Amino acid sequence: MQFAADQPALFELTFAAGLDKARFPVLAAAGQALFDELFTPARVLCGSDHQARRLVLAVAACAHGYAVFFAEGVLGDPLSDVKREAAMAASSLIASYVAGSS
């Protein structure tokens, strides 16, 4: 959310330009590094690699959706309210995945 708000042009370029990650390995590496950073705590919460991967992708999709909606003006302002809503949605996803893995 903060990145989309602070750097809208770079957010657009990074996520919506359709860049081929095979042609730009540094982008693929950055995406993998972020996934790896999020995967470790997700694995601890979920107890399995499969559920952890699903959780990371779900939270990332949720965050990305909120960021796009914010950038498009769908969610209004202020940014703090939108960030709070995005965090609540992500928390709900996490609780759902954790409950489903026990």
Side-chain angles (χ1 to χ4, degrees), residues 8-97:
L10 190 54
F11 176 81
E12 180 76 18
L13 178 64
T14 303
F15 292 107
L19 296 175
D20 180 5
K21 305 287 189 293
R23 289 188 53 219
F24 301 96
V26 71
L27 291 177
Q32 186 61 49
L34 178 58
F35 180 87
D36 293 345
E37 186 76 22
L38 298 173
F39 182 80
T40 300
R43 175 69 170 83
V44 170
L45 290 171
C46 293
S48 78
D49 288 356
H50 177 73
Q51 279 297 92
R53 182 178 190 285
R54 290 181 64 219
L55 174 58
V56 169
L57 293 176
V59 170
C62 178
H64 181 78
Y66 269 91
V68 169
F69 287 159
F70 178 78
E72 295 293 322
V74 174
L75 300 176
D77 234 351
L79 177 60
S80 60
D81 289 350
V82 177
K83 287 170 63 174
R84 188 172 20 267
E85 289 292 325
M88 288 173 35
S91 293
S92 294
L93 282 170
I94 293 166
S96 174
Y97 275 81

